[in-house]
Amino acid sequence: MTLHHNLIAGEWVGSNGVENINPSNTNEIVGLYATASADDAKTAIAAAKAAFPAWSRSGILERHAILKKTADEILARKDELGKLLAREEGKTLPEAIGETIRAAQIFDFFAGEALRLAGEVLPSVRPNIGVEITREPIGVIGIITPWNFPIAIPAWKIAPALCYGNTVVFKPAELVPGCSWAIVDILHRAGLPKGVLNLVMGKGSVVGQAMLDSPDLAGITFTGSTGTGKRVASASIEHNRKFQLEMGGKNPMVVLDDADLTVAVESAANSGFFSTGQRCTASSRLIVTEGIHDKFVAALTEKLKTLVVDDALKAGTHIGPVVDERQLATDTDYIAIGKQEGAKLAFGGETIQRDNPGFYLQPTLFTEATNQMRISREEIFGPVASVIRVKDYEEALATANDTPFGLSAGIATTSLKHATHFKRNSEAGMVMVNLPTAGVDFHVPFGGRKASSFGSREQGKYAAEFFTVVKTAYTLA
Ligand code: ADP
């Protein structure tokens, strides 16, 4: 089997390979991927540092052309890359192709942004002096990504980093190196100079930690768990570097008595269970007012009965497998915890067998949950959601906001008054009205509040905030 190498200083290097396993069929090896050492990470950082002066001054047309070429190739290969994504991560083929198209759109967007770099020219408060405000790249960026969006998250960090003239050391999640390798290969062939983008696949505790400990990274952008995010934060403060964190969520979806039942059920099924519930914007707390509660639970349960859990590549599969054995154990532990805490198991809860050995779990719905239970407070990251019954809108809003997290929040209602009030008073970074809590656009800011995120927003033109630093220059006329 071909070994996919790391890219360091423009060369494909590395020997130790680990197997990338398909969670839909654990007998199947998706590919063999090199693992970097801490020294490899240091070499990659040195290469990115050496490449920075030239790349930071590169022409915008060169950056535009490379990012556009990358977007075009990803789009042209969407079916092949989507299949690779579905095989390594386990989301369904349509979801995986959709995510691949999204990655192409992100590269396309930032190809355009490279041509739209702008500053401001203002008069000084002092006579005969002009003021210019410009944005400059910050230096070498460390990019550390999770396994749940194997192509979109690398795209939404790499594209702006390069667009604004930074160089990059990129460490993807160990479970899903395939899509990351593919986009680095595409960018490399699209003409990036040596050292501008380095790929170091491998363990977080080794490669990731070496990045955290480096004095030469000007910034780290991280998406992953709260625990690792805290490590990124403290190491970054130690090294006086910029950092941006996207971490967990415990996203509420409020359903009011006046909701359109179909909209509420479709939104809850999508938010809670699609992509196997493995989205940081997934909704695992369904906060439902008394008048609609029983109807909603009955209709959602009927909907869950129709969802097919099977191999990610099979036509007709709605929910693919859980990503790996460890995550499956976490999910089943939380299901046991929910039962012990006194929530009622309304649907699912069991692991299931399919033709091939894989990590299959039924979509699982608890009812009679309270917001104080662990299943309502801690991120599970699986196809598990709980219904919390509340009296009225005021209690629903208070419950929705009563969480350490604040990424996304949804409401299903036909009341303009309540929708408007919820948008205004939700303590989440993203609010959805009559839509699933997951599913966002690529040209607008993405990010949360409280323990979900730290630093400036990702995506759209707001990405410039993290990937650039502002300079204010005064000139005597
Ligand atoms: P998850 O539980 O979703 O895998 P992690 O936070 O463990 O979340 O992983 C997210 C990313 O952080 C992965 O690329 C992982 O390898 C990396 N990572 C894990 N531990 C560390 C660490 N100590 N330092 C830097 N990166 C790490």
Side-chain angles (χ1 to χ4, degrees):
M1 199 170 242
T2 330
L3 176 66
H4 296 80
H5 295 97
N6 285 310
L7 183 69
I8 299 177
E11 306 296 332
W12 293 108
V13 295
S15 49
N16 300 331
V18 290
E19 291 172 349
N20 182 357
I21 305 288
N22 180 353
S24 295
N25 177 3
T26 54
N27 290 330
E28 190 182 273
I29 300 165
V30 178
L32 204 54
Y33 291 85
T35 43
S37 64
D39 278 344
D40 291 335
K42 286 183 194 155
T43 311
I45 293 167
K49 194 176 172 188
F52 178 70
W55 182 250
S56 66
R57 288 178 175 75
S58 57
I60 55 171
L61 206 51
E62 181 184 359
R63 294 184 214 167
H64 167 80
I66 291 170
L67 295 172
K68 181 77 175 81
K69 219 169 158 186
T70 301
D72 292 347
E73 183 172 336
I74 293 173
L75 198 58
R77 292 171 56 193
K78 67 179 171 35
D79 294 334
E80 169 216 337
L81 293 173
K83 189 171 173 194
L84 170 66
L85 199 167
R87 286 172 71 217
E88 70 175 348
E89 198 267 353
K91 64 184 65 174
T92 66
L93 191 57
E95 287 173 331
I97 292 173
E99 186 185 329
T100 306
I101 294 169
R102 169 57 53 98
Q105 290 166 329
I106 291 166
F107 276 103
D108 194 52
F109 178 85
F110 284 104
E113 285 300 278
L115 301 181
R116 286 190 287 266
L117 292 173
E120 288 180 77
V121 178
L122 289 78
S124 164
V125 292
R126 292 166 283 164
N128 302 322
I129 291 176
V131 181
E132 290 164 31
I133 304 169
T134 50
R135 286 191 176 273
E136 296 183 356
I138 68 172
V140 182
I141 308 259
I143 295 180
I144 301 178
T145 57
W147 50 259
N148 64 330
F149 284 93
I151 197 162
I153 295 180
W156 84 49
K157 293 181 189 293
I158 294 171
L162 298 176
C163 161
Y164 298 115
N166 302 282
T167 58
V168 170
V169 175
F170 167 40
K171 194 209 92 63
E174 288 161 84
L175 280 178
V176 292
C179 290
S180 293
W181 188 92
I183 57 174
V184 170
D185 170 55
I186 293 169
L187 279 157
H188 179 60
R189 286 187 289 98
L192 274 183
K194 282 179 194 277
V196 170
L197 172 64
N198 302 271
L199 173 70
V200 282
M201 298 175 287
K203 279 190 183 306
S205 56
V206 177
V207 184
Q209 193 61 45
M211 291 166 69
L212 266 49
D213 294 340
S214 170
D216 291 325
L217 291 183
I220 293 190
T221 173
F222 167 85
T223 301
S225 64
T226 309
T228 310
K230 284 187 176 159
R231 295 172 90 108
V232 174
S234 52
S236 297
I237 287 165
E238 181 75 19
H239 292 290
N240 198 22
R241 82 162 73 94
K242 235 174 155 178
F243 59 100
Q244 176 183 55
L245 311 175
E246 288 300 341
M247 301 170 287
K250 195 71 196 173
N251 309 296
M253 160 110 208
V254 168
V255 178
L256 297 186
D257 285 356
D258 62 25
D260 177 318
L261 190 62
T262 308
V263 167
V265 169
E266 292 298 320
S267 300
N270 177 322
S271 304
F273 306 101
F274 288 4
S275 298
T276 324
Q278 297 174 153
R279 295 183 286 191
C280 44
T281 47
S283 178
S284 50
R285 290 190 298 142
L286 308 173
I287 301 165
V288 186
T289 48
E290 295 176 329
I292 198 170
H293 179 277
D294 294 355
K295 265 187 290 179
F296 173 78
V297 169
L300 181 57
T301 309
E302 283 310 306
K303 172 79 188 177
L304 294 184
K305 285 183 192 160
T306 68
L307 298 181
V308 176
V309 181
D310 208 332
D311 191 311
L313 295 184
K314 251 193 195 171
T317 297
H318 296 107
I319 301 178
V322 172
V323 73
D324 73 347
E325 198 165 12
R326 196 179 62 138
Q327 184 61 49
L328 183 63
T330 302
D331 297 349
T332 51
D333 283 354
Y334 273 111
I335 292 168
I337 290 166
K339 289 182 197 161
Q340 280 159 20
E341 287 180 312
K344 185 177 148 211
L345 186 64
F347 188 82
E350 301 292 331
T351 56
I352 38 185
Q353 306 296 319
R354 288 293 176 251
D355 292 347
N356 294 314
F359 307 113
Y360 298 105
L361 179 63
Q362 289 179 311
T364 299
L365 185 70
F366 281 109
T367 53
E368 312 303 333
T370 71
N371 200 44
Q372 302 316 316
M373 292 177 177
R374 283 184 63 196
I375 54 165
S376 302
R377 302 210 77 77
E378 299 169 18
E379 184 176 54
I380 301 172
F381 223 60
V384 184
S386 311
V387 177
I388 301 168
R389 189 198 302 255
V390 290
K391 193 163 57 351
D392 52 18
Y393 169 73
E394 283 69 29
E395 190 185 348
L397 174 67
T399 307
N401 285 336
D402 178 11
T403 168
F405 296 104
L407 188 56
S408 181
I411 187 166
T413 181
T414 51
S415 152
L416 180 62
K417 182 178 129 193
H418 287 139
T420 307
H421 190 271
F422 190 78
K423 279 191 275 186
R424 194 63 205 280
N425 292 284
S426 164
E427 293 170 5
M430 297 176 291
V431 182
M432 312 291 182
V433 178
N434 293 321
L435 287 166
T437 54
V440 297
D441 288 0
F442 60 89
H443 67 307
V444 292
F446 176 92
R449 298 185 185 177
K450 302 200 270 188
S452 289
S453 304
F454 187 91
S456 49
R457 290 286 185 259
E458 302 197 77
Q459 304 206 53
K461 64 181 164 45
Y462 285 71
E465 209 53 56
F466 179 73
F467 291 100
T468 64
V469 61
V470 163
K471 180 176 278 173
T472 314
Y474 297 80
T475 308
L476 179 64

